[in-house]
Amino acid sequence: MKQSRRIVLGITGGIAAYKAAELARLLLKQGIEVQVAMTEAATHFITPATLQALTARPVWIDQWQDAQGMTHIHGSRSADAIVIAPASADFIAKLANGQADDLLSTLCLARDCPLLVAPAMNRQMWANAATQRNVQRLAADGATLLGPDSGPQACGEEGLGRMLEAAELARDVLAFLEGKTARGDVGLKSDLQSDLPDLRGVKILITAGPTYEAIDAVRGITNRSSGKMGYAVAQAALEIGAEVTLVSGSVALTPPRGAQVVNVVSAVEMFEAVKREVARADIFIGVAAVADYRVAQTSTQKIKKSDAALTLQLVPNPDILAYVAALPRPPFCVGFAAESEKLRAHAAAKRKKKNVPLLAANLAQDAIGNDDNELLLFDAAGEHRLPRADKLDLARALLRHVVTLYQKGKKK
Ligand code: CTP
């Protein structure tokens, strides 16, 4: 790692180009030298003068502007990375195909340093098979994808394709320069195998974490679920292109990028959120540790202590998974079973009772709060063991199984 860190910030034509100014500012603040290179299209969205003033360096635009015409070669030689933000669909296509018809694309082709790419485009452009092919090829060639994120877009539509915020990009670029990989990229990662299942266009609804059932203003009934498994399932689903809605109880985790998150507290709130979202879902995965009971009468004030015994009356909560599975046109349903004993017998019975095609069973004492786990899957064909692994790897293996069954079901 060089002492003074330096990046080339490549800006291409897209409305997200305005965020590049803030990105440059944040990186400069971290002591990183920033040399800006823009495509001609980018100059229609943000002026070179803005970037020049921020970075105190002339902005590179025209490949013919320097007398020796060697900017494209020496431009990347002293850089620790080239960061393209925003990267338009067109520019990604150029990169994937090794085209070099302007200064920035030539710089990228001639580089001898890592390439980081932050896509920014309309959701349909992102979902287009050509873009996905290009992105996959870029990742296979060793580029690091930062995002994209999902949310409202400048065109008025909503979905996956918007560029990450400048602060998120700055954090990821810094992490990269410090030798770590960026966390939580939604993009296809270069370390993923080409035999990955493909869930593009498929909507997955996931519940995660514990629920909290209030007793009074300050006390409640909850459980030790950390939400790690549910969040790992969401992350794994995003990696293979699914649109993910994550209905989450209170957890101390950062949601995976690109997931649409609905935060809830109690089982009833989780139930209401699932009822609202389920019509759009193709697959439902209930990972949440939902409290089976809630207090019949919650007190809005803190209950005062007395010498008498206190009895709390508990009433059953709705069974969210069973409700979804019993819908007239249910999504493909996957349940989890946390058991403390007789794993096989309880899990097989639970699968039948809740009427779900797939149930992932684990020992509660093994799973709760840990970073790794193992699962026993139950489906119509019988039992399948997913050996002990980190929760994200386990979630990826689970999703392979889910996708196989889901696609088989669709063909019928
Ligand atoms: N589940 C749910 N709603 C509930 C209870 C459970 O959606 N009110 C879901 C969980 O998210 C999980 C599955 O049902 O996918 C099984 O949860 P688990 O706690 O193992 O089983 P329970 O149905 O609660 O049965 P028991 O507590 O008797 O084991």
Side-chain angles (χ1 to χ4, degrees):
M1 175 75 44
K2 300 176 181 101
Q3 279 306 315
S4 66
R5 294 165 304 172
R6 181 169 184 274
I7 65 146
V8 172
L9 174 60
I11 307 175
T12 73
I15 181 62
Y18 78 91
K19 294 185 189 173
E22 177 67 357
L23 174 60
R25 195 185 68 79
L26 292 171
L27 291 172
L28 288 160
K29 229 171 114 183
Q30 295 297 323
I32 296 171
E33 275 180 47
V34 179
Q35 170 64 57
V36 173
M38 296 170 83
T39 62
E40 205 272 325
T43 64
H44 294 276
F45 292 94
I46 183 168
T47 72
T50 306
L51 278 318
Q52 181 158 335
L54 275 170
T55 62
R57 286 169 181 276
V59 170
W60 296 342
I61 303 169
D62 182 1
Q63 58 185 333
W64 312 113
Q65 78 193 16
D66 104 53
Q68 281 85 40
M70 284 298 156
T71 307
H72 66 287
I73 302 295
H74 62 68
S76 73
R77 290 296 176 265
S78 56
D80 293 295
I82 298 182
V83 180
I84 309 292
S88 64
D90 173 63
F91 197 77
I92 287 174
K94 263 191 206 173
L95 289 176
N97 289 291
Q99 270 177 311
D101 61 358
D102 62 7
L103 181 59
L104 184 55
S105 54
T106 314
L107 255 173
C108 290
L109 196 63
R111 79 184 188 280
D112 65 350
C113 62
L115 178 66
L116 280 67
V117 177
M121 66 198 74
N122 164 269
R123 67 187 176 94
Q124 294 292 7
M125 291 170 85
W126 172 253
N128 189 292
T131 304
Q132 288 301 312
R133 215 169 35 238
N134 292 333
V135 164
Q136 219 153 9
R137 190 185 283 186
L138 258 190
D141 289 347
T144 297
L145 287 164
L146 307 177
D149 201 355
S150 82
Q153 305 202 306
C155 53
E157 295 184 358
E158 188 152 346
L160 202 58
R162 58 180 268 140
M163 190 168 86
L164 297 178
E165 294 303 328
E168 294 176 296
L169 285 175
R171 191 194 59 201
D172 285 353
V173 170
L174 269 176
F176 185 91
L177 294 178
E178 279 160 18
K180 302 173 207 150
T181 51
R183 282 166 299 121
D185 295 347
V186 174
L188 300 159
K189 295 188 169 182
S190 52
D191 63 347
L192 296 180
Q193 304 303 310
S194 53
D195 64 341
L196 270 183
D198 185 351
L199 278 186
R200 265 172 288 163
V202 175
K203 298 184 178 67
I204 306 197
L205 178 60
I206 298 167
T207 64
T211 64
Y212 175 91
E213 312 300 324
I215 296 172
D216 67 12
V218 292
R219 305 179 182 98
I221 300 171
T222 187
N223 58 68
R224 287 172 39 231
S225 165
S226 63
K228 283 180 191 163
M229 192 65 210
Y231 277 51
V233 171
Q235 162 85 44
L238 287 160
E239 283 176 0
I240 52 174
E243 277 180 42
V244 173
T245 302
L246 182 60
V247 179
S248 176
S250 309
V251 295
L253 299 173
T254 307
R257 244 186 230 149
Q260 197 165 329
V261 183
V262 183
N263 287 310
V264 296
V265 175
S266 67
V268 168
E269 279 176 28
M270 186 173 274
F271 186 42
E272 292 306 321
V274 167
K275 280 201 285 188
R276 272 196 310 274
E277 300 290 338
V278 75
R280 295 186 332 115
D282 302 298
I283 298 175
F284 174 74
I285 309 182
V287 196
V290 186
D292 290 332
Y293 299 93
R294 67 179 180 280
V295 179
Q297 207 87 58
T298 59
S299 164
T300 50
Q301 301 304 324
K302 188 178 169 215
I303 299 172
K304 298 307 286 177
K305 180 171 62 182
S306 82
D307 289 336
L310 176 70
T311 305
L312 290 174
Q313 200 199 350
L314 301 180
V315 293
N317 269 327
D319 189 317
I320 302 168
L321 177 62
Y323 164 87
V324 174
L327 287 170
R329 294 186 59 207
F332 180 83
C333 286
V334 183
F336 266 70
E339 308 296 344
S340 58
E341 54 159 6
K342 299 182 190 154
L343 184 65
R344 278 195 172 80
H346 284 323
K350 208 170 265 182
R351 179 175 165 267
K352 286 227 167 72
K353 187 170 166 214
K354 304 213 184 201
N355 194 25
V356 291
L358 179 62
L359 191 102
N362 53 191
L363 282 172
Q365 57 271 36
D366 262 12
I368 288 183
N370 289 341
D371 288 331
D372 61 359
N373 192 12
E374 59 185 83
L375 290 174
L376 204 51
L377 306 186
F378 292 83
D379 61 21
E383 235 181 79
H384 317 262
R385 211 174 86 78
L386 299 184
R388 178 159 291 277
D390 169 74
K391 281 184 175 169
L392 183 54
D393 285 332
L394 201 61
R396 288 174 178 150
L398 170 67
L399 275 179
R400 265 173 217 274
H401 201 85
V402 171
V403 174
T404 309
L405 295 185
Y406 168 71
Q407 284 171 346
K408 237 191 243 172
K410 273 186 69 174
K411 278 191 195 128
K412 275 185 195 160

